[in-house]
Amino acid sequence: MLRPRGGRCIAAIIAVGTLGLILQAQAQVTVPQVDILAQKGCSGGGTALVPNMQDCVVDEVMGSNGTLSFTFNVGPKAKHSLLLTLRSVGGAAVMRLYNKKDTAQNGQVVYYNDAVTESFLRVPASELGPGQYTLVVQGMGGATQKILLYLRVQTPAAGARLAPADKAALVSIMRECCPKQKGPMSPEICTTFLPAALNAKQPEDDLCNVGDFVCDEDGHLQKIDFSNAGLVCPKGFPAAFGSFPALETLMLRYNDFSGDTLTNVAEVLAPVKTLRRLMMGSTNLTGTVPCSLFEDHALKTLMISINQLEGSVPACVLASTTLEELYMSRTTLSGELPDSFSPDSQLRVWYAINKDPATGDIAGPGFTGTIPSSLSNAANLAFVELSHHQLTGGVPTLPAKIRMFESQSNALDGTIASPLPNELVYIDVMNNSLTGPLPDFSETPELTLADFSDNMLTGFLPPSFGAAASNMVYLDLSQNKLSGDINPGTLWERLPQLQYCFLQENALEGVVPASLAANSKMVALNLAYNNLEGDLDAFASAINPPATQAGSVPTVPGEQSAVPLDQQVPGQEQQVPDVEPVDPAAMPDAAAQQQEPAAEVPGSAAQQGPDQAPVGEQQQNDIGSMQIPTSSALAGNSFLYLNVSNNWIKGGVPEAMGGLEMFRSPANSTDPYDLYVFNRGGPDRTLDVTNNAMYGEFPMFLINQAPDLPDSCLCNTDFNVTAGNNIFCPTKATLGAAKFSKQQLQRLDEAKYTCLMPGANGAASPVSLSSYLGKPANWLTEIPAESTVPEKAPRASQVSAPAAASRGAGGGSGNLGGGAIAGIIIAVLAGLAILGSLAYFVGYKKFYQVHKATSFKRGVLPDGPAFEGAGAPGPYPAAAYGAGAGAGAAAGSAGGAVSPDIEMPPPSRSTGL
């Protein structure tokens, strides 16, 4: 990260007031607190930070929208500055530092991508007063998974000046990699940053004391961060990089070394025996991966993503006993993975996705063979991403401490090792050919998201998920060969946190479980293409009708809404309160939000003193120019999607179904969320009961739901009850003296509602509901008796094996896994949107991009041929890395529109990882 004092940032900056809003929003809960000085390598033998701390690294796991606080003390007359570097894996996170003077400083983002977010915060010695400090870290991405945090605390000596030899090496690098003639497109590092930092008159302006550069006491650089500097080195990797005797961290992402080889990079850096972290993602490197990188250095972090590398992964890489983080996405490496994990492995992160999220293109042939069985040797491994390769075999025994495992869209054709590990939070193996039964969930109390969709799994649903039931938010077992009772024992009653449940395209039997309707947190339920029978009466009777005032919007899976629901009003600016030093008993924690007693956050509206001035800028809840209010009225239930089509369900459409949240009408509401949702905002709300054996009149709740408002519409709805059923137009007795305005009929026409009218020969035919209601003289006096209505034709089991074309490298239905969720959040941050908007639509990414598009993909329209669904969804949002990117652009390995089914413009973006 390059930033001269008072200069312009090259990378994106998180808006100053964001974290204050989050803290205020979560005032009812507590947050865990970590004492940095109590951690290994951080104490220095005293009660305060000491100069030249280099080995203080704290690693923690927190919820993706959770909060952690870290405390430490600074002694009097400190002779050191403070550099805090935060790396979050699996989602975005930001940090803010508070002291006893009620002032705050915000971390500055170095880069985003779909795997890692890194930010730093630097306090010069002149501003580092004595006393206690509290660092608050807020998760902002990875909607359903946990985030791995690495916080490094360094205390460079105050007043350090760059050593002449290091200065000479930097000058040599600039001569090779900066343009000979300056112009408006010249990199800032060449025109302003380094010239100022290398010729500083004051120590605080010296390169050793700006940005996240670090020097030792002798002025030798320990950390160089040229990420996104825009360097172009026509002669390849400069030899001068091997001239830094104390260098530990070298970050060179998003520069161009003109096709030089990774082997030459290793040769240049061979003399730098202190090197521990090498970040070379997207630097136009070629060649093979040399083992000398590991023989010459005790590397802890290696990033070689997005380079045109050749050959296979050598055994020395996975056999390393020092490597902690390995990023090798989209490298064009191929071949079988070596089965070489050592029992002494320290690896915690292995990220190797083979798909370009911006274009959807597969980067190369990908890895073949099986997932290494020695993977379980990596006892510290917490995050694995191996999607979109050509891996075969099964899912082996996973490491005991693994938190997140993703290997979707491969050719896995074996079984899943069971039981799943105790600490597993997130597993996604969709779009493979896995066989056998579901794994044993009973020993995974932290499991939040499980996606086994689009495989060939057989057997029955378990009567209980055991320990996993307590935190399960997202469950996808669709497009398999599961059979038996859909409601074994008390399975669904024991999933109190479940919000997203997808069981379509199996051979499940029984009635639609009423306990799923009784779950007030359920947002989306898809049971289409099974063999369900019975009626919907019990399900409808169990629905908790939505409240009219207090409540909460359906949140990102597993988390809480990020912004107070009663504070997001379109166009209304908000003051961001200052926050005093954080009391650990009064800070928010996503994991404790349901259980902890209420406690006020210092600095919230309730505790803010009259002399406390806001420290942040005023913010609005917008994405680009679109303001997205949050709801204040979602207390009873959260249903926005229900699909039970293509089953054998009988009976009518119960009027109690109108109690689903999706039907709450804004006609008499002043809630800005109501008006927004009913005016082309937010994702489609869906009810689909088509192609069953239902009989009755068109439900009045759908008619009454059409708002009598000139500026309203039903254009973001998908309500279907008639097709493939015997749903007749409502009778005079049902309609009574009802009169319909022009606007209501127009809304009903937009919704394309139809109902059946009996013909002269006894055959019924569909007519437009709006046309029918507009002609009271033609209203039916009664509907045909059910015994006279033709029965539904018999059909075979709904089970169908996933298409062969969807197997193998990069193939499949376009389903995006949980790893992509982080990309959505990253892209929203790119537009500096207030986080309240995230709580509404980010949680639906996986659902609306996958299930909304594929719900009917094997269906048959009543009056037409088979048709495909929306197809592959749009890619997850974009990276915004480009030289000179400012506050309006964030970087991330994610690109494209949020979803084809979400009517909102994509955040601004540019290209890159």
Side-chain angles (χ1 to χ4, degrees):
M1 176 65 191
L2 308 176
R3 186 188 184 213
R5 290 178 64 86
R8 182 168 59 91
C9 293
I10 287 182
I13 302 174
I14 296 297
V16 171
T18 301
L19 190 55
L21 283 175
I22 297 169
L23 301 183
Q24 184 181 15
Q26 296 179 325
Q28 298 292 316
V29 292
T30 61
V31 64
Q33 188 175 61
V34 178
D35 182 359
I36 288 179
L37 295 175
Q39 309 303 308
K40 182 179 179 181
C42 300
S43 66
T47 59
L49 300 181
V50 296
N52 300 313
M53 291 174 59
Q54 294 293 329
D55 299 321
C56 178
V57 178
V58 182
D59 58 89
E60 293 286 340
V61 177
M62 75 173 187
S64 58
N65 282 334
T67 307
L68 280 175
S69 68
F70 301 84
T71 61
F72 57 88
N73 293 319
V74 173
K77 298 181 181 180
K79 297 181 180 181
H80 59 82
S81 60
L82 174 66
L83 177 61
L84 303 172
T85 304
L86 178 70
R87 181 179 297 138
S88 61
V89 183
V94 294
M95 59 180 170
R96 202 177 193 193
L97 182 65
Y98 301 90
N99 64 19
K100 288 189 174 182
K101 296 181 180 180
D102 301 329
T103 59
Q105 297 195 33
N106 296 275
Q108 196 160 307
V109 176
V110 179
Y111 57 79
Y112 292 111
N113 65 44
D114 58 337
V116 183
T117 298
E118 181 154 323
S119 58
F120 75 90
L121 192 155
R122 187 161 199 149
V123 183
S126 59
E127 300 176 14
L128 198 62
Q132 186 182 70
Y133 288 73
T134 300
L135 180 74
V136 179
V137 176
Q138 172 66 45
M140 305 172 87
T144 58
Q145 67 264 46
K146 300 280 186 175
I147 296 177
L148 304 180
L149 297 177
Y150 296 88
L151 175 66
R152 189 177 189 191
V153 181
Q154 295 170 276
T155 54
R161 302 300 295 262
L162 187 64
D166 289 42
K167 179 178 180 179
L170 289 174
V171 170
S172 175
I173 293 169
M174 293 305 103
R175 285 174 179 170
E176 286 193 40
C177 303
C178 288
K180 302 302 181 183
Q181 295 182 347
K182 296 180 180 180
M185 300 301 293
S186 297
E188 185 178 348
I189 187 176
C190 300
T191 59
T192 58
F193 178 75
L194 275 181
L198 296 181
N199 298 284
K201 295 181 179 180
Q202 301 298 324
E204 61 266 26
D205 297 324
D206 188 273
L207 184 64
C208 290
N209 302 301
V210 298
D212 56 342
F213 289 79
V214 178
C215 297
D216 63 14
E217 290 180 305
D218 297 323
H220 293 299
L221 282 164
Q222 294 176 307
K223 180 178 182 180
I224 295 176
D225 186 358
F226 287 163
S227 298
N228 195 41
L231 298 176
V232 178
C233 308
K235 297 181 180 180
F237 191 72
F241 275 118
S243 302
F244 299 101
L247 188 62
E248 296 181 4
T249 301
L250 181 59
M251 301 172 64
L252 297 174
R253 295 160 46 97
Y254 306 109
N255 292 287
D256 188 348
F257 296 113
S258 302
D260 204 348
T261 65
L262 189 57
T263 298
N264 185 56
V265 171
E267 292 176 356
V268 168
L269 295 176
V272 188
K273 302 301 181 181
T274 54
L275 188 65
R276 298 293 180 266
R277 300 168 188 87
L278 179 61
M279 314 289 277
M280 299 291 295
S282 192
T283 49
N284 193 11
L285 292 176
T286 60
T288 59
V289 180
C291 287
S292 56
L293 276 173
F294 302 91
E295 295 166 353
D296 295 335
H297 314 93
L299 279 184
K300 293 185 176 181
T301 301
L302 177 64
M303 177 178 286
I304 54 176
S305 299
I306 319 183
N307 285 297
Q308 296 297 309
L309 303 179
E310 303 170 1
S312 59
V313 178
C316 61
V317 177
L318 300 185
S320 170
T321 58
T322 62
L323 198 61
E324 296 176 356
E325 298 177 58
L326 176 60
Y327 304 95
M328 50 194 309
S329 295
R330 298 156 56 195
T331 59
T332 64
L333 292 171
S334 59
E336 295 187 5
L337 292 169
D339 196 10
S340 59
F341 282 97
S342 167
D344 297 323
S345 173
Q346 300 300 310
L347 194 64
R348 294 202 59 185
V349 176
W350 183 18
Y351 200 95
I353 193 171
N354 191 42
K355 180 179 179 180
D356 184 344
T359 65
D361 295 336
I362 300 302
F367 303 136
T368 57
T370 62
I371 299 173
S373 59
S374 60
L375 185 72
S376 58
N377 285 343
N380 297 307
L381 193 56
F383 189 113
V384 174
E385 167 58 274
L386 293 173
S387 295
H388 301 284
H389 293 277
Q390 300 185 66
L391 297 171
T392 57
V395 177
T397 300
L398 298 176
K401 294 184 179 180
I402 197 164
R403 294 283 186 150
M404 289 158 269
F405 180 82
E406 185 160 1
S407 186
Q408 62 162 281
S409 299
N410 278 283
L412 299 176
D413 53 3
T415 60
I416 304 169
S418 192
L420 296 176
N422 180 263
E423 297 186 26
L424 188 67
V425 172
Y426 168 86
I427 182 169
D428 187 345
V429 292
M430 56 86 59
N431 193 27
N432 283 284
S433 298
L434 292 165
T435 59
L438 291 170
D440 183 357
F441 297 86
S442 62
E443 299 179 14
T444 54
E446 300 298 321
L447 190 62
T448 300
L449 182 150
D451 191 340
F452 299 95
S453 64
D454 203 358
N455 280 286
M456 297 182 180
L457 301 177
T458 56
F460 308 110
L461 294 176
S464 170
F465 285 128
S470 58
N471 286 302
M472 181 82 74
V473 171
Y474 187 107
L475 176 65
D476 193 340
L477 305 177
S478 63
Q479 293 179 270
N480 278 287
K481 295 184 175 182
L482 301 175
S483 58
D485 191 355
I486 194 173
N487 192 21
T490 56
L491 172 64
W492 305 115
E493 288 90 335
R494 298 183 182 183
L495 294 168
Q497 306 300 324
L498 191 64
Q499 297 182 34
Y500 303 86
C501 181
F502 305 106
L503 303 174
Q504 71 269 24
E505 297 188 58
N506 282 287
L508 298 170
E509 301 173 348
V511 299
V512 178
S515 52
L516 289 173
N519 182 352
S520 62
K521 295 183 179 181
M522 184 66 68
V523 174
L525 175 63
N526 194 335
L527 306 178
Y529 291 96
N530 279 286
N531 292 315
L532 303 181
E533 299 178 320
D535 55 42
L536 294 177
D537 293 347
F539 179 89
S541 297
I543 294 171
N544 297 310
T548 56
Q549 295 299 328
S552 62
V553 82
T555 63
V556 173
E559 302 295 348
Q560 297 296 312
S561 179
V563 176
L565 301 174
D566 59 349
Q567 296 182 14
Q568 300 301 314
V569 179
Q572 177 177 314
E573 296 183 336
Q574 299 177 34
Q575 292 293 110
V576 179
D578 199 355
V579 182
E580 298 175 0
V582 180
D583 179 355
M587 289 294 298
D589 171 36
Q593 292 192 20
Q594 298 296 326
Q595 295 86 15
E596 294 295 333
E600 293 183 322
V601 177
S604 66
Q607 293 192 10
Q608 214 172 345
D611 299 328
Q612 286 184 275
V615 299
E617 299 176 359
Q618 292 179 336
Q619 301 290 331
Q620 287 184 327
N621 186 16
D622 63 8
I623 297 180
S625 61
M626 177 170 288
Q627 296 165 339
I628 301 181
T630 52
S631 174
S632 63
L634 302 183
N637 71 83
S638 303
F639 264 102
L640 294 178
Y641 182 99
L642 175 62
N643 188 344
V644 295
S645 66
N646 292 277
N647 282 285
W648 294 91
I649 299 171
K650 296 185 177 181
V653 182
E655 287 296 328
M657 297 285 284
L660 294 174
E661 167 58 28
M662 67 180 79
F663 299 118
R664 188 164 52 87
S665 173
N668 300 311
S669 175
T670 58
D671 190 323
Y673 172 85
D674 289 344
L675 302 178
Y676 172 75
V677 165
F678 280 80
N679 285 275
R680 301 177 184 271
D684 285 359
R685 295 164 295 135
T686 299
L687 172 67
D688 192 342
V689 300
T690 58
N691 292 309
N692 278 285
M694 303 184 74
Y695 164 87
E697 297 183 34
F698 192 92
M700 286 299 297
F701 68 82
L702 282 181
I703 298 175
N704 296 332
Q705 186 261 348
D708 187 11
L709 298 173
D711 297 329
S712 298
C713 71
L714 289 175
C715 45
N716 60 331
T717 63
D718 187 8
F719 303 146
N720 298 290
V721 299
T722 303
N725 288 312
N726 293 304
I727 302 299
F728 291 88
C729 299
T731 62
K732 292 181 179 180
T734 299
L735 293 169
K739 296 182 179 180
F740 301 96
S741 69
K742 180 180 179 180
Q743 287 88 354
Q744 286 175 301
L745 293 177
Q746 182 178 343
R747 301 293 89 79
L748 294 171
D749 186 61
E750 290 172 353
K752 299 181 180 179
Y753 290 152
T754 61
C755 55
L756 296 181
M757 283 286 286
N761 59 356
S765 58
V767 299
S768 166
L769 178 65
S770 60
S771 297
Y772 172 82
L773 295 177
K775 300 175 181 179
N778 295 334
W779 289 358
L780 296 174
T781 56
E782 61 181 10
I783 63 174
E786 185 173 9
S787 59
T788 65
V789 176
E791 293 186 2
K792 183 176 181 178
R795 69 173 180 223
S797 169
Q798 295 296 334
V799 170
S800 56
S806 70
R807 308 300 175 192
S813 61
N815 294 5
L816 297 181
I821 297 176
I824 290 228
I825 295 178
I826 290 165
V828 174
L829 296 180
L832 299 180
I834 294 298
L835 299 184
S837 60
L838 299 181
Y840 180 70
F841 75 88
V842 174
Y844 306 103
K845 191 277 325 164
K846 190 172 178 67
F847 161 57
Y848 276 97
Q849 287 195 328
V850 177
H851 299 90
K852 180 63 171 64
T854 62
S855 296
F856 308 97
K857 74 175 184 179
R858 294 175 187 165
V860 178
L861 289 172
D863 301 312
F867 73 105
E868 292 294 314
Y876 40 101
Y881 253 107
S893 168
V898 172
S899 165
D901 302 299
I902 297 178
E903 297 186 7
M904 58 180 64
S908 59
R909 59 188 184 276
S910 60
T911 60
L913 174 62

